[in-house]
Amino acid sequence: MSTTKNSKEKKIETKSSASINIENLSGVGPAIAEKLREAGYSSLEALAVASPNEISSITSIGEATIGKIIAAARDSLDIGFESAAELLERRKSMEKFTSGSEQIDAMLGGGVETRTLIEVYGEFRTGKTQIAHQLCVTVQLPREKGGLGAEALYIDAEGTFRPERLLEIVEKYPDLDPKTMLERVVYIRSFNSDHLQLIVDKLPNFLQEHNIKLIVVDSIISHFRSEYIGRGTLADRQQKLNRLLHKLLRLGEAYNLAIYITNQVMAAPGLFFGDPTQPVGGHVLAHASTYRIYLRKSKANKRIARLVDSPCLPETEAVFLINEQGIQDP
Ligand code: GTP
Ligand code: MG
């Protein structure tokens, strides 16, 4: 972390906190520590980003006890109240990497940002999965070439990940050795929404051991869409989706990495003017995403990306091409 001057941040960034035993937290004796470890909560970070009912349901330790342990873990990592000055310092530790498209980078204020959740939605074949592939390569570029010299994690809910495509994309980047590049993309297929949640719950320990700066979830919604049919189950679905998204957001914060999720669209009934497509997932997704990007098709292999929601950037558009080498400027 070159830009970070905040020592509190370093505690999260580096692996130094791994040397602090979870036994050192108040309320954690050897028996509880063992139960926590067995359930996969073996580090302060894993505890800090968890919720009481999540751990309680796996370990059968009471929620109140777990609540105190989580608070202690967050305390020891200095996650909590902070002044605006501290927040500014923390924001400086956000890093950016290139998408490979100058226009998309400019739209995002200089590239894909860590500690941020980017949601990309659009109809089929608009490029959501292609951008995901591209980012898995560009995050690996050396810093002087616009990357973060880091690894990517690809969670595939649709079965559309293609390592061959990464090999085509990497041809444009002579700084990267194709074989090493492939090894630095960690892949996991998710099979249903519970499995997806389980994968995300297990991530803290995994992230502790890897230099991951990008997590892709393609797509965040498909399992939910097929499992929860009919409006009767909508509240339940939204609650689960909410839990998943917030866990991802907290991981992005705690490990200073970017989260890229894709979403599908549905026809918006009763909308006669404008674009009749709306992202699925409703308010839950809208609130969780830091950046929302809407993709649409243009002529041939041209695509238009529109930044529709961002905390501090204007609503702008970017045009890009999808060709043999991935995402390109037109
Ligand atoms: P859905 O997942 O179906 O909703 O679509 P998506 O938005 O994820 O689309 P995706 O990114 O898969 O594809 C976008 C476009 O990229 C399509 O028009 C494809 O034809 C094109 N594309 C996909 N793979 C390749 C490839 O290997 N080479 C080239 N040149 N184009 C590709
Ligand atoms: Mg796709």
Side-chain angles (χ1 to χ4, degrees), residues 128-129 158 160 218 262:
K128 305 177 294 287
T129 301
E158 303 198 331
T160 51
D218 185 28
T262 66

Short mmCIF file of all heavy atoms in Angstrom, two decimals, residues 128-129 158 160 218 262, ligand 2:
data_model
loop_
_atom_site.label_atom_id
_atom_site.label_comp_id
_atom_site.label_asym_id
_atom_site.label_seq_id
_atom_site.Cartn_x
_atom_site.Cartn_y
_atom_site.Cartn_z
N LYS A 128 -21.62 -7.53 -20.13
CA LYS A 128 -21.40 -7.63 -18.68
C LYS A 128 -20.31 -8.66 -18.35
O LYS A 128 -19.41 -8.39 -17.56
CB LYS A 128 -22.71 -8.02 -17.97
CG LYS A 128 -23.87 -7.08 -18.29
CD LYS A 128 -25.17 -7.51 -17.64
CE LYS A 128 -25.75 -8.83 -18.13
NZ LYS A 128 -26.34 -8.79 -19.48
N THR A 129 -20.43 -9.83 -18.98
CA THR A 129 -19.46 -10.89 -18.72
C THR A 129 -18.10 -10.58 -19.36
O THR A 129 -17.06 -10.89 -18.79
CB THR A 129 -20.03 -12.23 -19.24
OG1 THR A 129 -21.26 -12.49 -18.56
CG2 THR A 129 -19.08 -13.38 -18.99
N GLU A 158 -23.30 -18.38 -13.55
CA GLU A 158 -23.99 -18.67 -14.80
C GLU A 158 -23.26 -19.67 -15.68
O GLU A 158 -23.78 -20.08 -16.72
CB GLU A 158 -24.22 -17.36 -15.58
CG GLU A 158 -25.02 -16.38 -14.74
CD GLU A 158 -25.66 -15.26 -15.54
OE1 GLU A 158 -25.10 -14.89 -16.58
OE2 GLU A 158 -26.69 -14.75 -15.09
N THR A 160 -20.53 -19.08 -17.45
CA THR A 160 -20.09 -18.47 -18.71
C THR A 160 -18.64 -17.98 -18.67
O THR A 160 -18.20 -17.27 -19.56
CB THR A 160 -21.03 -17.31 -19.12
OG1 THR A 160 -21.17 -16.42 -18.01
CG2 THR A 160 -22.39 -17.80 -19.53
N ASP A 218 -20.78 -12.98 -11.23
CA ASP A 218 -21.51 -12.94 -12.50
C ASP A 218 -22.50 -14.10 -12.55
O ASP A 218 -22.10 -15.23 -12.75
CB ASP A 218 -20.51 -13.03 -13.67
CG ASP A 218 -21.19 -12.88 -15.02
OD1 ASP A 218 -22.23 -12.21 -15.09
OD2 ASP A 218 -20.67 -13.43 -16.01
N THR A 262 -22.69 -8.37 -11.73
CA THR A 262 -23.55 -8.14 -12.88
C THR A 262 -25.00 -8.43 -12.49
O THR A 262 -25.27 -9.22 -11.60
CB THR A 262 -23.16 -9.03 -14.07
OG1 THR A 262 -23.40 -10.40 -13.74
CG2 THR A 262 -21.71 -8.84 -14.45
MG MG B 2 -23.12 -12.77 -19.03
#
